[in-house]
Amino acid sequence: MKSSSAALIHAFESVARGDLSVRIDEECEAPGLARAFNAMIASIGEREYRQTESAKEQIFQSEKLASIGRLASGIAHELNNPLTGILAYSSMMLEGMKDTQYAEDIKIIIDETIRCRDIVRGLLDFSRETHPELRPANLNHLITETLSILEKTHSLSNVVVEKILDDKIPAAGMDTNQMKSVINNLVLNAVDAMPFGGTIKIRTGIDKKAGKIFMEVEDNGSGIKKENIGLIFDPFFTSKDMGKGTGLGLFVTYNTVERHGGAIKVQSEEGVGTTFTVELPIK
Ligand SMILES: Nc1ncnc2c1ncn2[C@@H]1O[C@H](COP(=O)(O)OP(=O)(O)OP(=O)(O)O)[C@@H](O)[C@H]1O
Ligand SMILES: [Mg+2]
């Protein structure tokens, strides 16, 4: 049997080389120390495994979104011209048939075509890969501004919005328009998830060690079905009724946050609620 100090030195050297499978015989002269060492290495190994798995998952998710995004914007590009044609001809038809029984039907064609065109435009704007113009801005101010606009333009009377903003968060490089639309999307999704009312908590804070600020948007609404969690950031994934959602909100949000060098995560439980966390680098 090696002396405990020789075993310890050997074990430390192995860990330094990156070998986390090393263990010390707990029947040695210092069993307490050996047990503590083994437990420590086991927990480091477990944490490392979890971090690698989550990094792999993030890479997979962003590669998947990049390729679906390219496909979707390619289709949008192709659809743009025929839609413009349908809109031009149906508008001309309406002019000529204003006083006929067909006028109402043609109006529906025009309205629905406009809706398609708006979706296509949204995708095209997005695919132009406009790089965000990053300027130092205060996330708390953007949240307050966005909420006050939302209160005027949407019915939020059903929900209580609680702001728990850390006034010590430093400015971060942000494209203010794009970041406001991130806040907008997350808050409106939370509102939609609570048709019978509820509470939205918007928290900000700083993780100094990681050099990040974060924003959490928490609701106590419907939650997201387990099988849908992996799909919510995909373009056109929506669980809302026809005409209610395009399924582009979170897709655009994900990409905006990523272009800011940040990350977005979701935690959700069906029937309990959902929390989205956006992290942004301070520099
Ligand atoms: N806070 C939330 N609670 C429950 N489900 C959510 C929440 N946020 C997003 N979802 C789910 O994710 C789906 C996708 O959201 P996303 O914002 O991309 O599209 P949408 O809200 O359906 O349409 P829109 O393009 O108009 O935003 C939603 O349809 C809903 O099923
Ligand atoms: Mg949405």
Side-chain angles (χ1 to χ4, degrees), residues 198-209:
T199 306
I200 301 177
K201 290 184 185 158
I202 306 187
R203 244 178 243 107
T204 57
I206 174 167
D207 180 346
K208 274 195 188 141
K209 255 198 204 146

Side-chain angles (χ1 to χ4, degrees), residues 185-194 217-225 228 231-241 243-253 266-268 273-276:
N185 279 331
L186 295 179
V187 173
L188 284 181
N189 279 348
V191 173
D192 288 345
M194 304 190 293
V217 179
E218 178 188 324
D219 66 61
N220 55 356
S222 62
I224 302 169
K225 287 198 176 102
N228 288 343
L231 302 173
I232 56 169
F233 294 108
D234 290 359
F236 301 118
F237 174 80
T238 182
S239 61
K240 296 175 187 170
D241 290 342
K244 284 258 170 70
T246 61
L248 287 176
L250 284 180
F251 173 63
V252 173
T253 297
V266 60
Q267 260 192 321
S268 187
T274 304
T275 304
F276 281 91

Side-chain angles (χ1 to χ4, degrees), residues 47-120:
R47 207 175 315 145
E48 205 168 73
Y49 173 76
R50 264 188 274 125
Q51 277 172 352
T52 316
E53 284 305 298
S54 122
K56 267 200 243 163
E57 174 59 32
Q58 275 207 331
I59 292 170
F60 170 73
Q61 176 79 343
S62 69
E63 280 174 354
K64 182 183 79 173
L65 286 182
S67 61
I68 312 180
R70 271 195 299 278
L71 177 71
S73 55
I75 296 172
H77 191 257
E78 291 305 306
L79 283 178
N80 203 25
N81 288 340
L83 281 177
T84 311
I86 297 174
L87 203 54
Y89 280 100
S90 48
S91 304
M92 264 160 29
M93 268 173 84
L94 184 63
E95 270 304 301
M97 299 171 102
K98 244 188 213 150
D99 303 317
T100 70
Q101 55 172 331
Y102 301 112
E104 276 307 306
D105 295 348
I106 299 175
K107 262 195 208 133
I108 293 175
I109 296 179
I110 293 177
D111 287 347
E112 292 295 290
T113 312
I114 289 175
R115 210 157 72 79
C116 294
R117 195 194 54 186
D118 288 347
I119 295 174
V120 162

